[in-house]
Amino acid sequence: DAAHELRTPLAVLRSVGEVGLEEAKSNTEYREVIGSMLEESTRLSRLVDSLLTLSRMESGRARLRIQCFDVTALARDVVECLRPLAEEKQQHLSMPDAAALDVDADPSLLRQALMNLIDNALKYTPAQGAIRVSVERSGNHVRIVVQDSGPGIAPEHHAQIFDRFYRVDTGRSRDTGGTGLGLAITRWIVDQHGGAIAIHSSSGARTAFEISLPLAFGARVDLQASSPSNIRS
């Protein structure tokens, strides 16, 4: 699978380079050739980075650096980081106000998981479409939902959507620069934190990816202490 994914951008790089050398061109034409080659090299870099991450995951060399932090603030930071990309594609990326919610997790890895989900939504949401990120408390857990107004994903794909290199539409995913690894990496990150990830979608309708993570231990204790069963009259 990895070899197959590497062959395509390498073939495009070689083809563009060969065409660029066939005859003399103007500076503008050469810039276009170089731009195309840079786009393919970016795809290669993204794929290699993902493969290295998977390698560390499987070999057990990926170490979690757990700390207590506000996941709401982290989600908002990711949204603001990706907002310029959404605006460039004429999309509306939003996150409503939400309370601070602490989790015990690796902030770097959890940030990568959220980046993967939002970037995936940006890829498949049309111009003028909307991507909404929400964070809320649900009992002893925090729910992070990334919802888009894209074409949706048919139920028959849901069981495999988190498998590495799996694509609902192979040609379309390659055109958008997808590697088929982002969701697999995201699921691994969520699993490592004792959480769960699910997809809610149907063909022709919007798609929502939901991450559920345990609240930080202190937050869970506070919730139990304030429950009606623990309040004396």
Side-chain angles (χ1 to χ4, degrees), residues 5 48 50 61 67 89 91 114 162 181 183 190 224:
E5 295 298 326
V48 170
S50 295
R61 290 185 289 115
Q67 57 183 277
K89 300 179 70 176
Q91 299 164 333
L114 288 175
F162 297 105
L181 296 174
L183 291 178
V190 173
Q224 293 168 356

Side-chain angles (χ1 to χ4, degrees), residues 8 15 17 19 35 47 51 85 91 97 121-122 133 140 151 155 165 168 170 185 198-199:
T8 300
S15 175
V19 171
L47 177 56
L51 289 172
L85 181 58
Q91 299 164 333
D97 292 337
L122 292 172
V133 180
N140 282 328
F165 294 114
V168 175
T170 305
I185 292 173
I199 177 175

Side-chain angles (χ1 to χ4, degrees), residues 97-118:
D97 292 337
L101 294 169
D102 289 342
V103 294
D104 295 318
D106 184 319
S108 178
L109 285 179
L110 196 55
R111 178 184 177 87
Q112 182 179 359
L114 288 175
M115 291 279 284
N116 286 347
L117 289 183
I118 300 175

